Amino acid sequence: LSEQADVPTSPPLYVKICGPTGCLSYVTFSGQQIRVNGDVFEVLVDHQGDVLLVGRELVWSSHQAQARSGPYRIEAKPLEVAS
């Protein structure tokens, strides 16, 4: 949802991040930032369609989704395939 009519043309992404204080879910777009427990992550999509979360302390890719990233367990994918 957007307060303005300038919604990005890229497809929406579903991101779920679980950490020491619980889980948070987001619907966002490539190029946007999300905040989790004081950490800021940029959400990106690469040329193969993999979702990347890039933060100050870590880089996570949906290509290696089973890998744990620091204190976080992350799930991210295009919204239309989210379940």
Side-chain angles (χ1 to χ4, degrees):
L1 300 176
S2 177
E3 295 175 1
Q4 301 173 357
D6 61 346
V7 177
T9 57
S10 61
L13 304 169
Y14 171 78
V15 179
K16 181 178 179 182
I17 302 178
C18 297
T21 60
C23 296
L24 296 169
S25 296
Y26 302 87
V27 174
T28 188
F29 296 89
S30 182
Q32 300 294 309
Q33 291 184 340
I34 59 174
R35 297 180 189 280
V36 180
N37 298 328
D39 292 322
V40 178
F41 299 100
E42 186 159 356
V43 180
L44 303 168
V45 175
D46 70 11
H47 68 283
Q48 294 178 322
D50 292 320
V51 180
L52 305 168
L53 269 65
V54 180
R56 186 173 218 188
E57 303 284 326
L58 70 89
V59 174
W60 176 90
S61 170
S62 62
H63 181 72
Q64 297 177 332
Q66 300 304 318
R68 190 168 180 88
S69 296
Y72 300 111
R73 191 177 74 244
I74 302 169
E75 174 187 353
K77 55 190 149 193
L79 185 61
E80 63 267 7
V81 297
S83 55

